[in-house]
Amino acid sequence: MFLALLELRAARGRFLLMGSVVVLVAALVGIVSGFTTGLGDDTISALRRLPAAQLVFSSDARSDQFARSLLDEKTAAAWHKEAGTETTPLGVSITRGTTNRGAEVDLAAFGVDPTAFLNPSVTRGKSLADAAADSVVISAKLADEGVRVGDTLVIDRLGISLRVIGQTERLSYGHVPAAYVPLKTWQRIRFSTPGAPASATATIPDQFSALALRSPAKTSAATLDRRHSTTTLTKEKAYEAAPGYTGERVTMNSIQVFLYLIAPLVVGAFFAVWTVQRQPELALLRALGASRRRLLAHTVLQAALVVVLGTVAGAVLAAAVGLLVGEQVPFSLPAATLAVTMCTVAAVGLAGTALTLRRVTRADPLTMLGANR
């Protein structure tokens, strides 16, 4: 222990340089993890908060199901009768609108039955239950963009006017703030022809994107799917139907994996060079009676101090970046995620020191006793 600390002090410049590299790698991994979580939340938070266990789509929609799937009331009634659980229709589509105060916003319209279990709870104002058909409950993200309870929101090109009656949590879908409307209103938004009179509702089909099941179907979902030409996914599996979710996850996770591979290589390379430079000192310690186990503990302790302290500093830096960016970008780094990420960085960093341990144990005491003369 004493010798390890003594060497750290004597070669503090080198160890500070190595520690700085560990700090930057750990901070970068933490920041990437924060963006991975933040982007995921910004893509699927509205889906994640749905109180549903499974979602049923039409069988012809094999990707981007929320955009491509269409089910009708006949299918919904059959599922409700045979599934043995509560069911309710769900419509999802992305559109644009302008408020009466001139705020232009994008919104992900979620069409729900106000009397069913998908009706969202509100943090301000009133919920959709018992509200008029032209009502809308907005995400807090839309409030950040200038939409307020009491405003009138007009859907672009369709002329459909919605009255903002309530506000819910910060929920979004495909990086677009969520807004909840009655299912009939959603159908007007989804199926109306731009430029057509607002009263022309006779041609609007009674269809929706998916059927939500409150709990898993008691009858085999595969059996019901074959019977009704549908595809049933768990809510978690349905996240992949959100636009961009899979691609973003693969990209960000790939970056994290490469950083986890870089960390042990950098740490291992540094301690490999450091061990080569210390061969005479290691040989002297062996000649003085130090065991191989003691030399190994000496080397591992130095590596642990550098890696752990550097990782802690990197965690602080990553958390500071999260506080700095705030809610301006999709960044989320909960304490549990940060702790797991930093533990992984420290573990792979220490694994890199294994590259040096063999050379430490091969230090020859005869070197200092003149065997090479």
Side-chain angles (χ1 to χ4, degrees), residues 36 39-40 42-44 64 94 173-175 239-252:
T36 302
L39 287 170
D42 206 46
T43 304
I44 62 166
D64 298 328
I94 295 177
Y173 167 80
H175 304 298
Y239 294 163
E240 299 176 7
Y245 178 74
T246 301
E248 288 173 356
R249 298 286 292 184
V250 170
T251 300
M252 302 305 290

Side-chain angles (χ1 to χ4, degrees), residues 3-24:
L3 290 175
L5 295 177
L6 189 63
E7 282 191 339
L8 286 172
R9 181 178 179 182
R12 56 183 175 273
R14 299 178 187 179
F15 283 103
L16 283 174
L17 178 62
M18 184 59 217
S20 299
V21 174
V22 175
V23 170
L24 294 177

Side-chain angles (χ1 to χ4, degrees), residues 15 25 30 69 81 116 146 233 235 238 257 319 338 353:
F15 283 103
V25 171
S69 170
K81 180 180 179 180
L233 302 177
K235 184 175 68 173
V257 169
L338 180 61
T353 62

Side-chain angles (χ1 to χ4, degrees), residues 191-259:
F191 299 113
S192 292
T193 303
S199 59
T201 59
T203 58
I204 294 178
D206 192 9
Q207 295 178 321
F208 40 87
S209 304
L211 189 67
L213 309 184
R214 189 161 197 170
S215 59
K218 295 181 180 179
T219 305
S220 169
T223 300
L224 294 176
D225 284 337
R226 288 193 299 269
R227 190 176 299 168
H228 303 296
S229 299
T230 56
T231 300
T232 303
L233 302 177
T234 63
K235 184 175 68 173
E236 291 73 20
K237 187 66 176 177
Y239 294 163
E240 299 176 7
Y245 178 74
T246 301
E248 288 173 356
R249 298 286 292 184
V250 170
T251 300
M252 302 305 290
N253 287 334
S254 297
I255 295 173
Q256 278 190 290
V257 169
F258 277 108
L259 290 173

Side-chain angles (χ1 to χ4, degrees), residues 22-342:
V22 175
V23 170
L24 294 177
V25 171
L28 186 56
V29 173
I31 291 170
V32 171
S33 179
F35 278 117
T36 302
T37 305
L39 287 170
D41 289 344
D42 206 46
T43 304
I44 62 166
S45 60
L47 298 179
R48 185 178 290 148
R49 297 297 177 87
L50 291 176
Q54 294 178 324
L55 293 170
V56 181
F57 300 95
S58 60
S59 59
D60 57 345
R62 296 179 175 83
S63 63
D64 298 328
Q65 284 92 337
F66 287 107
R68 299 180 178 180
S69 170
L70 286 176
L71 296 176
D72 55 26
E73 282 295 334
K74 181 180 178 181
T75 304
W79 264 89
H80 178 74
K81 180 180 179 180
E82 301 175 29
T85 183
E86 288 185 70
T87 65
T88 185
L90 171 66
V92 180
S93 60
I94 295 177
T95 186
R96 294 178 57 86
T98 305
T99 69
N100 56 310
R101 292 186 293 107
E104 299 180 353
V105 294
D106 295 326
L107 61 147
F110 277 64
V112 300
D113 181 350
T115 64
F117 60 87
L118 290 187
N119 184 30
S121 58
V122 297
T123 57
R124 292 184 57 192
K126 299 185 298 183
S127 72
L128 291 176
D130 301 322
D134 62 349
S135 301
V136 58
V137 171
I138 62 170
S139 163
K141 293 189 67 175
L142 278 174
D144 294 342
E145 297 181 18
V147 184
R148 299 287 183 266
V149 174
D151 285 356
T152 299
L153 180 66
V154 180
I155 303 301
D156 291 353
R157 301 196 307 158
L158 299 178
I160 299 174
S161 296
L162 304 174
R163 187 169 59 88
V164 180
I165 63 168
Q167 177 180 312
T168 186
E169 303 172 72
R170 295 182 61 83
L171 304 177
S172 57
Y173 167 80
H175 304 298
V176 179
Y180 297 85
V181 296
L183 185 62
K184 293 294 184 182
T185 302
W186 177 84
Q187 290 169 343
R188 292 175 57 202
I189 295 172
R190 172 67 172 81
F191 299 113
S192 292
T193 303
S199 59
T201 59
T203 58
I204 294 178
D206 192 9
Q207 295 178 321
F208 40 87
S209 304
L211 189 67
L213 309 184
R214 189 161 197 170
S215 59
K218 295 181 180 179
T219 305
S220 169
T223 300
L224 294 176
D225 284 337
R226 288 193 299 269
R227 190 176 299 168
H228 303 296
S229 299
T230 56
T231 300
T232 303
L233 302 177
T234 63
K235 184 175 68 173
E236 291 73 20
K237 187 66 176 177
Y239 294 163
E240 299 176 7
Y245 178 74
T246 301
E248 288 173 356
R249 298 286 292 184
V250 170
T251 300
M252 302 305 290
N253 287 334
S254 297
I255 295 173
Q256 278 190 290
V257 169
F258 277 108
L259 290 173
Y260 286 139
L261 294 176
I262 290 171
L265 293 178
V266 171
V267 175
F270 171 81
F271 279 98
V273 173
W274 176 243
T275 302
V276 170
Q277 294 175 340
R278 295 166 57 231
Q279 281 298 302
E281 289 83 357
L282 294 174
L284 177 59
L285 290 173
R286 290 284 291 126
L288 292 175
S291 65
R292 289 186 173 89
R293 179 178 296 179
R294 186 170 184 179
L295 294 183
L296 285 174
H298 172 79
T299 302
V300 171
L301 177 61
Q302 285 183 338
L305 287 172
V306 172
V307 171
V308 172
L309 292 178
T311 302
V312 170
V316 173
L317 182 57
V321 170
L323 293 175
L324 182 64
V325 299
E327 297 178 350
Q328 300 174 10
V329 296
F331 186 94
S332 177
L333 192 57
T337 302
L338 180 61
V340 171
T341 301
M342 293 301 110

